[in-house]
Amino acid sequence: MSNVGTPDNPLRVAIVGSGPSGFYATEALLKSDASVRIDMLERLPCPFGLVRSGVAPDHQKLKQAIQLYDKIAQSDGFSFLGNVTVGHDLSVDELKQSHHAIIFACGAESDRKLNIPGEDLKGSHTATEFVGWYNGHPDYRDREFDLSHPNAVIIGQGNVAADVSRILSKTTDELKHTDIAEHALAVLSESKIRDIYVIGRRGPAQAKFTPKELREFGELDDCDPVVNAEDLALNSESQIELEDKSNAGNAKVYKLFNEFSQRTPSGKNKRCHFMFLLSPLELIGKNRLEKVRLEKNQLTGEPFNQSAIGTGEITEIDTGILFRSIGYRGIAITGVPFDERRGIFPNNDGRIIDDGNIVPQLYTAGWIKRGPTGIIGTNRADSVATVESLLNDLHNSTFDNAKNGADFLIPLLETRNVRYVTYPEWMKIDTVEIKQGQEKGKPREKFTRIEEMLNILD
Amino acid sequence: MTTIVTDNCKGCRFTDCVTVCPVSCFHYDDEMLYIDPDVCIDCSACIPECPVQAIYEGDDIPEDKEHWIAINAERAPNLPVCEDKMDPLPGAEERKAELGF
Ligand SMILES: Cc1cc2nc3c(=O)[nH]c(=O)nc-3n(C[C@H](O)[C@H](O)[C@H](O)COP(=O)(O)OP(=O)(O)OC[C@H]3O[C@@H](n4cnc5c(N)ncnc54)[C@H](O)[C@@H]3O)c2cc1C
Ligand code: SF4
Ligand code: SF4
């Protein structure tokens, strides 16, 4: 029997990524009976993943999940090493030497492509870039968005598409007391966008919005939601879907569309149009995006399994900007098996597998484990399941030897001149951000460049 | 805006909702669960998980359930937190069928 997991030889776990799934895995490990030491590695100096840089700035209440993560981070046995990219600053092989187990909770940071002509035209963007930009993610700090055309098109009808559309629909007054990045607020306040077209491949009964996100479009200061009543006609399969008791969410969404379609526009300055059964075929423009060509779809298949197929009928929308929000993909890390098709780390109950065989020591949780679905809380159940697998392996004595954890990694980082950021150092950054926000009536003003964050530490 | 548990939860206490709550704000007594409105972040993760649709979000609470807002707020803070899945109460399956789910 190995004594790993006892106070003399604690189970050392490295967690890659500091989003919700990393923190819920930490929580579950710390709650277990084993003696555990956790080192969380994060590529940015700031923790919290998409809760900081994905969740919309006008949804501050959701960001309160951070209060719990902050509490977890201050537990005994936890350490944070920010500004460290696994696969670049430290290799997976090195983590295998320093820790008994590694949980990859690194999210899905790349986008799915439409794979249509013109996709790379100037003016065609991913939702990720825009979201990262308005949320002050350092990777997207210097992106430019030209909001001078009166029309904008969003491809996709999930909650990320809703966030992008809502941010474009809101007035400066509705945004200025959120933690939206200053550079973004400046550009948005000059926006000339009047009509926002939110395009779904399938019908109004299949839109992926949650009722709550959609309802907000009926309550905006200066934007009317627009739905064409004819577009709400349903085939019998969709009717069956909406009548199903287990599908209450979609039924509520459909009801909201219906309500929007019966409103007389109140003459607000902006309009957000929800359109269905349309797929983009081509983005057209000489030097930059000028219009998008779309094909009308129809649904085929059984209820709950209907897919959209083209009818050959074409429509076009003039636009200067387009955002695609059709899903995310994970990014491969050297030394970890990768499922190219699904864009995730292949796994069985959180144990990473290669060609069906379990790879010792490697585990995964969150979006990189199951794909980019589910909201913050979904990751809690998911991380608990991964930790259960890990603890089972511990009880079956899969782990041997003592490991040195961060004590092994820190000298490596030092020789490589990596300025790692500890949790107390992050708390300093946090305090300054909150202070610079207060001066402007915002919950915080984020640093949007890594150097700026490091500067206040040295 | 508040998210609340209502009477459908009574006598069944399936705890599917609890496993996805990002901030562990469910509390329980012998009969059912309650949400602490001071801790809940209104993320709606729990709503689709409940097999008997006992949970409602603020804008969606039917008039005849509005009194549950006060009940959740009063009871939750004085009861133990339910962080992990518990066994359903005896008779939970029957109750679920009775409610038509
Ligand atoms: C635009 C948007 C809006 C959303 N809005 C909501 C909402 O309103 N409500 C809700 O409940 N959910 C929302 N979500 C979903 C929620 O954010 C996700 O479910 C959740 O963040 C996924 O958690 P995760 O830990 O798997 O990944 P992430 O949160 O993405 O965290 C991954 C972390 O890993 C780090 N990382 C990546 N690669 C490396 C590496 N090689 N080395 C070190 N660190 C690395 C990243 O920097 C990041 O911090 C939203 C998501 C998006 C994209
Ligand atoms: S899932 Fe529904 S019935 Fe079960 S405990 Fe939660 S609220 Fe009650
Ligand atoms: S809405 Fe979210 S935070 Fe509130 S009880 Fe449900 S899962 Fe928990």
Side-chain angles (χ1 to χ4, degrees), chain A residues 388-409:
Chain A
E388 226 164 78
S389 296
L390 197 162
L391 292 173
N392 273 332
D393 294 346
L394 172 69
H395 293 134
N396 296 328
S397 308
T398 321
F399 306 116
D400 49 17
N401 306 331
K403 300 274 187 181
N404 292 326
D407 290 346
F408 178 87
L409 299 177

PDB file of all heavy atoms in Angstrom, chain A residues 388-409:
ATOM      1  N   GLU A 388     -13.994  12.308  -8.238  1.00  0.00           N
ATOM      2  CA  GLU A 388     -14.366  10.975  -7.776  1.00  0.00           C
ATOM      3  C   GLU A 388     -13.498   9.913  -8.461  1.00  0.00           C
ATOM      4  O   GLU A 388     -12.990   8.998  -7.808  1.00  0.00           O
ATOM      5  CB  GLU A 388     -15.834  10.720  -8.114  1.00  0.00           C
ATOM      6  CG  GLU A 388     -16.645  10.136  -6.989  1.00  0.00           C
ATOM      7  CD  GLU A 388     -18.130  10.280  -7.287  1.00  0.00           C
ATOM      8  OE1 GLU A 388     -18.646   9.485  -8.102  1.00  0.00           O
ATOM      9  OE2 GLU A 388     -18.758  11.220  -6.736  1.00  0.00           O
ATOM     10  N   SER A 389     -13.313  10.036  -9.760  1.00  0.00           N
ATOM     11  CA  SER A 389     -12.445   9.095 -10.492  1.00  0.00           C
ATOM     12  C   SER A 389     -11.034   9.131  -9.919  1.00  0.00           C
ATOM     13  O   SER A 389     -10.409   8.096  -9.671  1.00  0.00           O
ATOM     14  CB  SER A 389     -12.363   9.456 -11.983  1.00  0.00           C
ATOM     15  OG  SER A 389     -13.620   9.333 -12.591  1.00  0.00           O
ATOM     16  N   LEU A 390     -10.537  10.337  -9.695  1.00  0.00           N
ATOM     17  CA  LEU A 390      -9.169  10.492  -9.192  1.00  0.00           C
ATOM     18  C   LEU A 390      -9.021   9.854  -7.808  1.00  0.00           C
ATOM     19  O   LEU A 390      -8.061   9.132  -7.538  1.00  0.00           O
ATOM     20  CB  LEU A 390      -8.851  11.990  -9.157  1.00  0.00           C
ATOM     21  CG  LEU A 390      -7.402  12.443  -9.055  1.00  0.00           C
ATOM     22  CD1 LEU A 390      -7.293  13.905  -9.474  1.00  0.00           C
ATOM     23  CD2 LEU A 390      -6.810  12.284  -7.683  1.00  0.00           C
ATOM     24  N   LEU A 391     -10.018  10.089  -6.952  1.00  0.00           N
ATOM     25  CA  LEU A 391      -9.916   9.537  -5.597  1.00  0.00           C
ATOM     26  C   LEU A 391     -10.046   8.013  -5.608  1.00  0.00           C
ATOM     27  O   LEU A 391      -9.414   7.323  -4.804  1.00  0.00           O
ATOM     28  CB  LEU A 391     -10.966  10.170  -4.681  1.00  0.00           C
ATOM     29  CG  LEU A 391     -10.732  11.661  -4.373  1.00  0.00           C
ATOM     30  CD1 LEU A 391     -11.912  12.249  -3.611  1.00  0.00           C
ATOM     31  CD2 LEU A 391      -9.425  11.887  -3.599  1.00  0.00           C
ATOM     32  N   ASN A 392     -10.845   7.498  -6.553  1.00  0.00           N
ATOM     33  CA  ASN A 392     -10.908   6.045  -6.700  1.00  0.00           C
ATOM     34  C   ASN A 392      -9.545   5.488  -7.070  1.00  0.00           C
ATOM     35  O   ASN A 392      -9.110   4.458  -6.548  1.00  0.00           O
ATOM     36  CB  ASN A 392     -11.903   5.649  -7.792  1.00  0.00           C
ATOM     37  CG  ASN A 392     -13.294   5.532  -7.228  1.00  0.00           C
ATOM     38  OD1 ASN A 392     -13.461   5.243  -6.050  1.00  0.00           O
ATOM     39  ND2 ASN A 392     -14.285   5.794  -8.058  1.00  0.00           N
ATOM     40  N   ASP A 393      -8.858   6.166  -7.985  1.00  0.00           N
ATOM     41  CA  ASP A 393      -7.521   5.721  -8.390  1.00  0.00           C
ATOM     42  C   ASP A 393      -6.559   5.787  -7.210  1.00  0.00           C
ATOM     43  O   ASP A 393      -5.698   4.930  -7.047  1.00  0.00           O
ATOM     44  CB  ASP A 393      -7.000   6.570  -9.561  1.00  0.00           C
ATOM     45  CG  ASP A 393      -7.828   6.351 -10.831  1.00  0.00           C
ATOM     46  OD1 ASP A 393      -8.611   5.373 -10.856  1.00  0.00           O
ATOM     47  OD2 ASP A 393      -7.706   7.158 -11.766  1.00  0.00           O
ATOM     48  N   LEU A 394      -6.742   6.814  -6.386  1.00  0.00           N
ATOM     49  CA  LEU A 394      -5.890   6.936  -5.194  1.00  0.00           C
ATOM     50  C   LEU A 394      -6.119   5.734  -4.275  1.00  0.00           C
ATOM     51  O   LEU A 394      -5.169   5.114  -3.783  1.00  0.00           O
ATOM     52  CB  LEU A 394      -6.206   8.239  -4.459  1.00  0.00           C
ATOM     53  CG  LEU A 394      -5.535   8.429  -3.099  1.00  0.00           C
ATOM     54  CD1 LEU A 394      -4.028   8.638  -3.276  1.00  0.00           C
ATOM     55  CD2 LEU A 394      -6.121   9.626  -2.348  1.00  0.00           C
ATOM     56  N   HIS A 395      -7.404   5.386  -4.074  1.00  0.00           N
ATOM     57  CA  HIS A 395      -7.694   4.257  -3.182  1.00  0.00           C
ATOM     58  C   HIS A 395      -7.201   2.943  -3.766  1.00  0.00           C
ATOM     59  O   HIS A 395      -6.907   2.008  -3.048  1.00  0.00           O
ATOM     60  CB  HIS A 395      -9.190   4.200  -2.850  1.00  0.00           C
ATOM     61  CG  HIS A 395      -9.614   5.377  -2.025  1.00  0.00           C
ATOM     62  ND1 HIS A 395     -10.747   6.112  -2.290  1.00  0.00           N
ATOM     63  CD2 HIS A 395      -9.006   5.964  -0.963  1.00  0.00           C
ATOM     64  CE1 HIS A 395     -10.829   7.114  -1.420  1.00  0.00           C
ATOM     65  NE2 HIS A 395      -9.783   7.036  -0.602  1.00  0.00           N
ATOM     66  N   ASN A 396      -7.101   2.863  -5.067  1.00  0.00           N
ATOM     67  CA  ASN A 396      -6.573   1.650  -5.682  1.00  0.00           C
ATOM     68  C   ASN A 396      -5.057   1.711  -5.836  1.00  0.00           C
ATOM     69  O   ASN A 396      -4.479   0.989  -6.650  1.00  0.00           O
ATOM     70  CB  ASN A 396      -7.243   1.406  -7.028  1.00  0.00           C
ATOM     71  CG  ASN A 396      -8.727   1.141  -6.841  1.00  0.00           C
ATOM     72  OD1 ASN A 396      -9.127   0.576  -5.830  1.00  0.00           O
ATOM     73  ND2 ASN A 396      -9.529   1.578  -7.794  1.00  0.00           N
ATOM     74  N   SER A 397      -4.438   2.644  -5.113  1.00  0.00           N
ATOM     75  CA  SER A 397      -2.972   2.758  -5.079  1.00  0.00           C
ATOM     76  C   SER A 397      -2.328   2.931  -6.444  1.00  0.00           C
ATOM     77  O   SER A 397      -1.301   2.351  -6.732  1.00  0.00           O
ATOM     78  CB  SER A 397      -2.350   1.512  -4.443  1.00  0.00           C
ATOM     79  OG  SER A 397      -2.930   1.254  -3.229  1.00  0.00           O
ATOM     80  N   THR A 398      -2.963   3.711  -7.297  1.00  0.00           N
ATOM     81  CA  THR A 398      -2.358   3.957  -8.608  1.00  0.00           C
ATOM     82  C   THR A 398      -1.151   4.879  -8.495  1.00  0.00           C
ATOM     83  O   THR A 398      -0.275   4.880  -9.339  1.00  0.00           O
ATOM     84  CB  THR A 398      -3.388   4.605  -9.559  1.00  0.00           C
ATOM     85  OG1 THR A 398      -4.630   3.977  -9.320  1.00  0.00           O
ATOM     86  CG2 THR A 398      -3.000   4.444 -11.002  1.00  0.00           C
ATOM     87  N   PHE A 399      -1.146   5.701  -7.452  1.00  0.00           N
ATOM     88  CA  PHE A 399      -0.073   6.689  -7.346  1.00  0.00           C
ATOM     89  C   PHE A 399       1.025   6.169  -6.427  1.00  0.00           C
ATOM     90  O   PHE A 399       0.753   5.516  -5.430  1.00  0.00           O
ATOM     91  CB  PHE A 399      -0.618   7.998  -6.787  1.00  0.00           C
ATOM     92  CG  PHE A 399      -1.793   8.514  -7.564  1.00  0.00           C
ATOM     93  CD1 PHE A 399      -3.042   8.619  -6.981  1.00  0.00           C
ATOM     94  CD2 PHE A 399      -1.643   8.867  -8.900  1.00  0.00           C
ATOM     95  CE1 PHE A 399      -4.131   9.084  -7.702  1.00  0.00           C
ATOM     96  CE2 PHE A 399      -2.726   9.337  -9.632  1.00  0.00           C
ATOM     97  CZ  PHE A 399      -3.982   9.442  -9.024  1.00  0.00           C
ATOM     98  N   ASP A 400       2.279   6.453  -6.780  1.00  0.00           N
ATOM     99  CA  ASP A 400       3.365   6.006  -5.902  1.00  0.00           C
ATOM    100  C   ASP A 400       4.276   7.190  -5.564  1.00  0.00           C
ATOM    101  O   ASP A 400       4.041   8.295  -6.021  1.00  0.00           O
ATOM    102  CB  ASP A 400       4.149   4.865  -6.563  1.00  0.00           C
ATOM    103  CG  ASP A 400       4.519   5.234  -7.986  1.00  0.00           C
ATOM    104  OD1 ASP A 400       4.467   6.435  -8.329  1.00  0.00           O
ATOM    105  OD2 ASP A 400       4.854   4.328  -8.758  1.00  0.00           O
ATOM    106  N   ASN A 401       5.267   6.950  -4.782  1.00  0.00           N
ATOM    107  CA  ASN A 401       6.322   7.915  -4.464  1.00  0.00           C
ATOM    108  C   ASN A 401       5.793   9.222  -3.873  1.00  0.00           C
ATOM    109  O   ASN A 401       4.647   9.565  -4.029  1.00  0.00           O
ATOM    110  CB  ASN A 401       7.146   8.294  -5.705  1.00  0.00           C
ATOM    111  CG  ASN A 401       7.691   7.075  -6.381  1.00  0.00           C
ATOM    112  OD1 ASN A 401       7.937   6.077  -5.716  1.00  0.00           O
ATOM    113  ND2 ASN A 401       7.860   7.143  -7.679  1.00  0.00           N
ATOM    114  N   ALA A 402       6.708   9.932  -3.288  1.00  0.00           N
ATOM    115  CA  ALA A 402       6.389  11.275  -2.837  1.00  0.00           C
ATOM    116  C   ALA A 402       6.675  12.228  -3.991  1.00  0.00           C
ATOM    117  O   ALA A 402       7.530  11.975  -4.833  1.00  0.00           O
ATOM    118  CB  ALA A 402       7.250  11.622  -1.639  1.00  0.00           C
ATOM    119  N   LYS A 403       5.904  13.312  -4.071  1.00  0.00           N
ATOM    120  CA  LYS A 403       6.129  14.317  -5.104  1.00  0.00           C
ATOM    121  C   LYS A 403       6.346  15.651  -4.408  1.00  0.00           C
ATOM    122  O   LYS A 403       5.848  15.884  -3.306  1.00  0.00           O
ATOM    123  CB  LYS A 403       4.909  14.406  -6.023  1.00  0.00           C
ATOM    124  CG  LYS A 403       4.576  13.106  -6.740  1.00  0.00           C
ATOM    125  CD  LYS A 403       5.363  12.963  -8.035  1.00  0.00           C
ATOM    126  CE  LYS A 403       4.887  11.755  -8.827  1.00  0.00           C
ATOM    127  NZ  LYS A 403       5.643  11.594 -10.072  1.00  0.00           N
ATOM    128  N   ASN A 404       7.062  16.540  -5.085  1.00  0.00           N
ATOM    129  CA  ASN A 404       7.400  17.798  -4.440  1.00  0.00           C
ATOM    130  C   ASN A 404       6.531  18.976  -4.826  1.00  0.00           C
ATOM    131  O   ASN A 404       6.704  20.075  -4.337  1.00  0.00           O
ATOM    132  CB  ASN A 404       8.863  18.132  -4.690  1.00  0.00           C
ATOM    133  CG  ASN A 404       9.766  17.147  -3.968  1.00  0.00           C
ATOM    134  OD1 ASN A 404       9.405  16.678  -2.881  1.00  0.00           O
ATOM    135  ND2 ASN A 404      10.871  16.792  -4.571  1.00  0.00           N
ATOM    136  N   GLY A 405       5.605  18.771  -5.744  1.00  0.00           N
ATOM    137  CA  GLY A 405       4.668  19.836  -6.100  1.00  0.00           C
ATOM    138  C   GLY A 405       5.359  21.087  -6.607  1.00  0.00           C
ATOM    139  O   GLY A 405       6.351  21.019  -7.337  1.00  0.00           O
ATOM    140  N   ALA A 406       4.833  22.228  -6.152  1.00  0.00           N
ATOM    141  CA  ALA A 406       5.355  23.510  -6.633  1.00  0.00           C
ATOM    142  C   ALA A 406       6.838  23.682  -6.317  1.00  0.00           C
ATOM    143  O   ALA A 406       7.554  24.386  -7.048  1.00  0.00           O
ATOM    144  CB  ALA A 406       4.545  24.648  -6.024  1.00  0.00           C
ATOM    145  N   ASP A 407       7.321  23.042  -5.248  1.00  0.00           N
ATOM    146  CA  ASP A 407       8.757  23.178  -4.929  1.00  0.00           C
ATOM    147  C   ASP A 407       9.638  22.676  -6.063  1.00  0.00           C
ATOM    148  O   ASP A 407      10.776  23.112  -6.227  1.00  0.00           O
ATOM    149  CB  ASP A 407       9.101  22.379  -3.663  1.00  0.00           C
ATOM    150  CG  ASP A 407       8.492  23.041  -2.438  1.00  0.00           C
ATOM    151  OD1 ASP A 407       8.066  24.220  -2.557  1.00  0.00           O
ATOM    152  OD2 ASP A 407       8.431  22.388  -1.382  1.00  0.00           O
ATOM    153  N   PHE A 408       9.128  21.747  -6.830  1.00  0.00           N
ATOM    154  CA  PHE A 408       9.855  21.253  -7.991  1.00  0.00           C
ATOM    155  C   PHE A 408       9.725  22.230  -9.165  1.00  0.00           C
ATOM    156  O   PHE A 408      10.666  22.424  -9.944  1.00  0.00           O
ATOM    157  CB  PHE A 408       9.300  19.870  -8.373  1.00  0.00           C
ATOM    158  CG  PHE A 408       9.930  19.250  -9.591  1.00  0.00           C
ATOM    159  CD1 PHE A 408      11.091  18.482  -9.497  1.00  0.00           C
ATOM    160  CD2 PHE A 408       9.352  19.413 -10.854  1.00  0.00           C
ATOM    161  CE1 PHE A 408      11.671  17.899 -10.623  1.00  0.00           C
ATOM    162  CE2 PHE A 408       9.918  18.835 -11.989  1.00  0.00           C
ATOM    163  CZ  PHE A 408      11.087  18.075 -11.873  1.00  0.00           C
ATOM    164  N   LEU A 409       8.559  22.867  -9.279  1.00  0.00           N
ATOM    165  CA  LEU A 409       8.291  23.706 -10.463  1.00  0.00           C
ATOM    166  C   LEU A 409       8.891  25.102 -10.355  1.00  0.00           C
ATOM    167  O   LEU A 409       9.335  25.678 -11.350  1.00  0.00           O
ATOM    168  CB  LEU A 409       6.778  23.827 -10.674  1.00  0.00           C
ATOM    169  CG  LEU A 409       6.026  22.514 -10.937  1.00  0.00           C
ATOM    170  CD1 LEU A 409       4.528  22.780 -11.065  1.00  0.00           C
ATOM    171  CD2 LEU A 409       6.551  21.824 -12.200  1.00  0.00           C
TER     172      LEU A 409
END
